[in-house]
Amino acid sequence: TQHGIRYRLNYQKTYWNSRLEYEHARLVNDFFQPGQVILDLMCGVGPFVLPAVKRGCTVIANDLNKDSVFWLRVNLGLNNAIDKERVVPMNMDARAAIEFLSGGDKSKFPEFARQITGNMSIVEASEN
């Protein structure tokens, strides 16, 4: 459990670092605003996804590791207060996800996302 959110995972097949708990919370609270669309390109089991959805964001949650996406779905099910309809899980390479979401025109990326995360980095999308 981190900040009231429950997580389950298989340590042998997914990545988890409990030392990042406060950094996850800080970034979500400082950068994510209710109503924003967030793209998490390397979402893992959901340490950004679930807090962002709890904060009122919609999250496109992508990870190359199918086991991480499996456990993300499990974690969504464990947390009844989180609106599962605000999460779009994907299992793709990050570059393929960008191409898919931009309709093949990477110059249009990231029109739909206000914040983009990936393995502890956050990029604020430019205002158009």
Side-chain angles (χ1 to χ4, degrees), residues 2 45 84 106-107 109:
Q2 287 190 353
V45 299
K84 295 150 196 62
K106 292 180 196 171
S107 69
F109 183 82

Coordinates of all heavy atoms in Angstrom, one line a residue, residues 2 45 84 106-107 109:
Q2 N 0.6 2.2 -0.9 CA 1.2 3.5 -0.9 C 0.2 4.6 -1.0 O -0.6 4.6 -1.9 CB 2.1 3.6 -2.1 CG 3.4 2.8 -2.0 CD 4.4 3.1 -3.2 OE1 4.1 3.8 -4.1 NE2 5.6 2.5 -3.1
V45 N 3.5 -1.5 -13.0 CA 2.3 -2.0 -12.3 C 1.3 -0.8 -11.9 O 0.3 -1.1 -11.2 CB 2.6 -2.9 -11.1 CG1 3.4 -4.1 -11.6 CG2 3.4 -2.1 -10.1
K84 N -11.9 3.0 -13.0 CA -11.1 2.2 -14.0 C -11.4 2.6 -15.4 O -10.6 2.3 -16.3 CB -11.5 0.7 -13.8 CG -11.0 0.1 -12.5 CD -12.0 -0.9 -12.0 CE -11.8 -1.3 -10.5 NZ -12.1 -0.2 -9.6
K106 N 4.0 11.4 -36.2 CA 4.7 11.7 -34.9 C 4.7 13.2 -34.7 O 4.9 13.7 -33.5 CB 6.1 11.1 -34.8 CG 6.0 9.6 -34.7 CD 7.4 9.0 -34.6 CE 7.4 7.6 -34.9 NZ 8.7 7.0 -35.1
S107 N 4.6 14.0 -35.7 CA 4.7 15.5 -35.5 C 3.4 16.0 -34.8 O 3.5 17.1 -34.2 CB 4.8 16.2 -36.9 OG 3.6 16.0 -37.6
F109 N 2.2 14.4 -32.3 CA 2.3 13.9 -30.9 C 2.9 15.0 -30.1 O 3.9 15.6 -30.5 CB 3.2 12.6 -30.9 CG 3.3 12.0 -29.6 CD1 2.3 11.2 -29.1 CD2 4.4 12.3 -28.8 CE1 2.4 10.6 -27.9 CE2 4.5 11.7 -27.5 CZ 3.5 10.9 -27.1

